[in-house]
Amino acid sequence: VYPYYENPDFLSKQIETWCSYPSALRDRLRVVVVDDGSPKHPASKVVTQKYPFPLSLFRIEVDVRWNWIAARNIGMHVTSSDGWHVLTDMDHVVPEGTLRTLIYGVHDKDVIYRFSRIGVKEHPHPNSWFMTRAMFWRIGGYDEACSGFYGTDGDYRRRCAATAKILIMRDPLVCREHEGDASTRLYKRKQPQHAHAKKIMRARPKKGWKPRTLTFPYHEVRL
């Protein structure tokens, strides 16, 4: 599941990477891309090219900053598979060796997995995950009350840790966030107004709280 926001060049590079996988791996894959309202370069203009396995494209109908939160929820809602899912960002590439481990390795459905990472000093990536669809919704999904604010991925990590055991795999993702349009450059990070998300989190009731999910209008883009 990949959120997309104004990343046409890097999505093309991702498709090139997917095409380079051996056919035995491609036959086991499906990708869901969720465009979170790109105003200038919608993903639909990119995925007209050939892609090597089933690819579904969805588009959020409003343009809200940092709305990868809703994009991931939508991706995990619309997927037809009840099996294992990788959730990551558009600027992270899954190497073939890592993909082999994900497909052919033995994994515990009651465990949440994270990835090592190469290309940056920080390990692992704070918001890349490997888990079942059932586990994602057992955690509750991402809280869309925090949409529009940067730096809220820690909230999901804490809820993951409160839900199940987390293991970090040795198998890495490759971070390419500084290449072209691989990551969002339109909006500044770590701005004072983003602290409002912490107020939203603190205001949650201690009992009976559930994340707000699937609150944004979206539609499937027919390919």
Side-chain angles (χ1 to χ4, degrees), residues 5-205:
Y5 189 78
E6 299 287 356
N7 313 114
D9 293 338
F10 207 78
L11 177 54
S12 294
K13 292 181 180 180
Q14 287 280 18
I15 294 174
E16 290 177 7
T17 299
W18 302 337
C19 289
S20 73
Y21 295 148
S23 59
L25 299 183
R26 297 198 305 265
D27 291 344
R28 303 289 296 275
L29 297 178
R30 179 189 173 191
V31 166
V32 178
V33 175
V34 182
D35 186 333
D36 63 353
S38 301
K40 295 182 178 180
H41 306 287
S44 57
K45 292 185 177 180
V46 181
V47 296
T48 55
Q49 62 185 279
K50 182 179 180 181
Y51 36 92
F53 39 69
L55 186 151
S56 298
L57 174 61
F58 293 81
R59 179 176 172 84
I60 299 175
E61 296 171 0
V62 292
D63 182 11
V64 175
R65 296 184 180 194
W66 308 114
N67 208 15
W68 53 267
I69 290 176
R72 289 187 176 211
N73 284 343
I74 291 167
M76 292 300 283
H77 174 69
V78 301
T79 176
S80 62
S81 172
D82 289 324
W84 290 91
H85 295 72
V86 174
L87 297 99
T88 189
D89 292 338
M90 187 58 65
D91 58 358
H92 283 79
V93 176
V94 183
E96 181 182 327
T98 299
L99 188 58
R100 289 184 179 277
T101 298
L102 300 181
I103 292 175
Y104 299 120
V106 177
H107 311 289
D108 187 340
K109 65 180 181 180
D110 293 319
V111 171
I112 301 168
Y113 296 90
R114 299 177 70 186
F115 297 89
S116 299
R117 188 164 56 146
I118 57 178
V120 292
K121 295 180 180 179
E122 300 174 2
H123 299 277
H125 183 227
N127 210 11
S128 290
W129 306 95
F130 183 58
M131 66 179 75
T132 64
R133 184 173 186 246
M135 177 62 76
F136 180 85
W137 292 114
R138 177 177 159 192
I139 297 163
Y142 291 85
D143 184 13
E144 292 172 15
C146 296
S147 292
F149 301 102
Y150 177 79
T152 61
D153 47 8
D155 172 58
Y156 186 73
R157 289 198 303 277
R158 288 188 289 272
R159 289 193 286 115
C160 284
T163 302
K165 181 179 181 180
I166 298 176
L167 293 179
I168 300 175
M169 296 186 294
R170 294 181 179 179
D171 304 86
L173 301 179
V174 179
C175 176
R176 298 172 66 178
E177 61 182 327
H178 299 297
E179 295 186 24
D181 64 2
S183 61
T184 300
R185 303 293 181 189
L186 296 179
Y187 304 124
K188 293 182 179 180
R189 293 159 165 77
K190 300 180 180 180
Q191 297 299 296
Q193 63 269 27
H194 295 149
H196 183 69
K198 294 182 179 179
K199 295 181 180 179
I200 295 174
M201 296 174 197
R202 288 195 295 267
R204 294 168 178 167

